[in-house]
Amino acid sequence: MTARVLVVDDILANVKLLEARLSAEYFDVITAMSGPEALSICDRGQCDIVLLDVMMPGMDGFEVCRRLKANPATHHIPVIMVTALDQPADRVKGLEAGADDFLTKPVNDLALVTRVRSLVRLKMVQDELRMRAVTSKEIGMRDPLAEAVSESGLNGRILLVDDRSSSSERIAQALGHQHQVDVESKPQEALFKAAERDYDLVMVSLGLADFDPLRLCSQIRSLDRTRGLPILVMADPEDEPRLLRGLDIGVNDYVMRPIDRNEMAARVRTQVRRKRYTERLRDNVQQSMEMAITDGLTGLHNRRYMESHLATLVEQASMRGKPISLLVLDIDFFKAVNDTYGHDAGDDVLREFAQRMRKSVRGIDLACRLGGEEFVVVMPDTDAGVASIVAERIRSKVAADKFPIHKGERAIDVTVSIGISQREGATDGADALLKRADQALYRAKRDGRNRVVLDAA
């Protein structure tokens, strides 16, 4: 795994040292000697992660980090602060500015590479989601990138895994005023809880007495249900080799004992904020996928979905030797509804029609809006006789009761004409099936409307 790493430091010797270490691990390194130069590089999307010195003239690293995290276009770029400052208050200040991690000078090579790889791995997952989110924004959906900037990271659900009651009580108390904390002393029970409940973060003590805490972390990473769940570990200074191993297998962050409450709170908020950001991206992608195949007015599948699935359903029917039928439905005199009562009334009619049609077909049937006032129902494992019964049921339900319009203030009569076709022979494809149903619909219109006509092929 490689990545473009931006090294920012006003001292050339420091830049060259980090550049040499990262280049030896096959990272692509670019450099900046000031805060404004770093911001410009990030704005142009030229890096995957930033190693940022704190003490710089003009604009220090804290301010650079704040600006990166306040900008929706650069908010997602991981920032590792590289500093000689080693007091908890300094780390808290950096975390509150939005930093993802810290390295203290002189930088340990193994820690450097492990942290960079860990954060790059996370960013690669988010980048794909971000690209799709940008696309969905262009079609009118909410912008999850802008929402991420305002996320507080508070009121998270946290699972704390620690078998020392004195330790877990202090941590739960320290976090309890900002988050909901569940304490679990048994690692195996913790795994079940993590999988079954909707947590924002798991905190694991590396000092578990009778269980390897890294195995628990690995198990959390291996389950589909918890693969994206952030993990923060609590470690003692002598735990550094295991801590680095943990970061390598997917641990997101850590706090060292004795734990500084403010630093822990800041790191927890960072992880909760990042998880919610990723979830927003995933939800946005899911919604955009649904929008791509769903008619926004009626909630039925749209023409694109119908065309892509009709051929598959016809092919499956051919392979299994089963019948398949298709209905094409057209609301009678729909243009007159729009011209007389307005397009809002027309939309009311379309929604009500879709609801009545959906109630008249089976779960396995594919109901779609083809466009305008025209609809299609694909009926697998169904011959023309059964399809005719269903079509007549739809027709009668539409004609039986008036359609409410203008928020129920008025009601109008609506009827529908329906054409039916059944697949005929092994060479009868999706296009032919649709064409014959459309021809049957035309005959229904010609013969007086408000009727069902079966294709005579």
Side-chain angles (χ1 to χ4, degrees):
M1 175 181 61
T2 186
R4 294 164 298 175
V5 183
L6 172 61
V7 176
V8 187
D9 199 312
D10 62 314
I11 300 175
L12 184 60
N14 293 340
V15 170
K16 291 298 183 183
L17 180 61
L18 287 174
E19 182 179 13
R21 290 175 175 178
L22 292 166
S23 296
E25 297 294 330
Y26 303 103
F27 288 106
D28 183 13
V29 182
I30 51 180
T31 63
M33 303 294 290
S34 69
E37 185 183 359
L39 292 173
S40 177
I41 291 171
C42 292
D43 279 336
R44 296 196 299 270
Q46 294 180 327
C47 66
D48 296 304
I49 188 168
V50 180
L51 291 180
L52 180 61
D53 184 42
V54 172
M55 307 300 291
M56 294 187 296
M59 183 187 298
D60 66 16
F62 296 129
E63 179 61 22
V64 174
C65 189
R66 272 191 290 269
R67 295 194 185 190
L68 287 173
K69 297 300 182 178
N71 182 354
T74 58
H75 175 87
H76 64 287
I77 301 175
V79 176
I80 300 177
M81 295 286 219
V82 183
T83 175
L85 304 174
D86 59 357
Q87 295 302 308
D90 299 317
R91 290 196 292 271
V92 171
K93 185 177 179 180
L95 290 166
E96 289 178 344
D100 296 272
D101 211 331
F102 270 85
L103 289 172
T104 303
K105 297 178 181 177
V107 176
N108 177 282
D109 285 359
L110 184 58
L112 169 67
V113 174
T114 302
R115 284 164 173 76
V116 170
R117 282 180 177 160
S118 175
L119 288 170
V120 166
R121 214 169 20 232
L122 178 65
K123 181 177 179 292
M124 288 172 66
V125 173
Q126 291 181 342
D127 278 351
E128 183 177 356
L129 296 173
R130 285 184 65 256
M131 285 190 291
R132 295 181 183 177
V134 169
T135 301
S136 59
K137 179 187 173 185
E138 292 170 355
I139 61 174
M141 294 184 64
R142 62 185 175 86
D143 183 6
L145 308 183
E147 289 179 359
V149 176
S150 60
E151 171 59 55
S152 67
L154 296 175
N155 301 313
R157 291 197 63 191
I158 299 169
L159 176 60
L160 173 60
V161 188
D162 193 340
D163 55 6
R164 290 187 295 176
S165 59
S166 59
S167 169
S168 61
E169 287 172 5
R170 283 195 301 271
I171 294 172
Q173 183 181 23
L175 297 174
H177 66 290
Q178 292 184 335
H179 307 277
Q180 177 185 330
V181 182
D182 294 341
V183 179
E184 178 54 63
S185 60
K186 299 177 181 178
Q188 288 300 92
E189 288 296 320
L191 184 63
F192 287 124
K193 282 187 177 180
E196 292 171 358
R197 304 181 188 181
D198 188 23
Y199 287 108
D200 294 302
L201 175 67
V202 176
M203 299 177 66
V204 179
S205 170
L206 286 188
L208 296 178
D210 299 318
F211 195 89
D212 183 354
L214 293 187
R215 183 167 299 280
L216 174 60
C217 296
S218 176
Q219 290 171 337
I220 291 172
R221 278 289 163 267
S222 66
L223 296 177
D224 289 338
R225 182 74 174 82
T226 57
R227 186 160 291 148
L229 184 60
I231 302 172
L232 184 149
V233 299
M234 293 83 72
D236 291 302
E238 61 269 20
D239 287 330
E240 183 174 347
R242 284 201 302 162
L243 177 59
L244 294 174
R245 178 64 178 144
L247 291 167
D248 196 43
I249 64 174
V251 168
N252 299 84
D253 201 358
Y254 64 92
V255 287
M256 300 297 292
R257 289 190 170 99
I259 293 174
D260 178 87
R261 290 189 171 202
N262 293 326
E263 179 183 353
M264 178 176 64
R267 290 188 182 276
V268 167
R269 288 179 62 181
T270 295
Q271 294 304 319
V272 172
R273 188 163 52 234
R274 185 183 293 152
K275 178 177 183 285
R276 290 173 178 172
Y277 170 57
T278 304
E279 285 178 342
R280 281 200 181 97
L281 292 178
R282 286 203 175 98
D283 289 346
N284 184 275
V285 170
Q286 181 63 33
Q287 290 173 17
S288 65
M289 290 172 64
E290 291 175 359
M291 284 182 65
I293 62 172
T294 304
D295 175 59
L297 180 65
T298 65
L300 300 174
H301 290 302
N302 60 17
R303 181 176 192 140
R304 177 187 295 134
Y305 186 87
M306 188 276 295
E307 290 177 342
S308 65
H309 280 68
L310 177 57
T312 301
L313 292 172
V314 170
E315 183 180 349
Q316 288 175 349
S318 176
M319 292 174 59
R320 295 163 53 205
K322 297 286 187 178
I324 183 170
S325 296
L326 186 142
L327 315 182
V328 177
L329 311 90
D330 189 277
I331 299 174
D332 297 327
F333 303 111
F334 183 73
K335 184 176 183 299
V337 174
N338 282 331
D339 292 345
T340 305
Y341 303 105
H343 288 280
D344 288 346
D347 289 348
D348 291 338
V349 168
L350 290 171
R351 281 189 288 263
E352 177 66 19
F353 177 83
Q355 186 175 2
R356 295 188 191 187
M357 183 180 74
R358 189 188 285 114
K359 289 180 178 178
S360 300
V361 300
R362 305 164 300 177
I364 64 169
D365 298 329
L366 177 62
C368 307
R369 183 183 177 194
L370 199 60
E373 68 272 26
E374 198 168 32
F375 296 79
V376 168
V377 178
V378 184
M379 306 184 69
D381 299 342
T382 307
D383 60 25
V386 175
S388 297
I389 294 172
V390 173
E392 179 59 31
R393 184 165 65 228
I394 296 173
R395 188 206 63 77
S396 62
K397 278 195 174 184
V398 169
D401 298 312
K402 291 179 180 290
F403 277 51
I405 60 173
H406 298 155
K407 298 181 179 179
E409 294 179 1
R410 302 190 61 172
I412 60 174
D413 289 315
V414 174
T415 61
V416 62
S417 299
I418 305 174
I420 306 173
S421 65
Q422 176 183 335
R423 178 177 166 272
E424 302 288 345
T427 60
D428 200 15
D431 291 342
L433 191 65
L434 186 60
K435 182 178 181 180
R436 291 204 317 276
D438 201 50
Q439 290 170 343
L441 171 65
Y442 176 77
R443 290 198 296 275
K445 293 282 190 182
R446 184 191 61 195
D447 294 345
R449 295 181 169 83
N450 189 25
R451 66 191 60 226
V452 175
V453 171
L454 175 62
D455 169 55

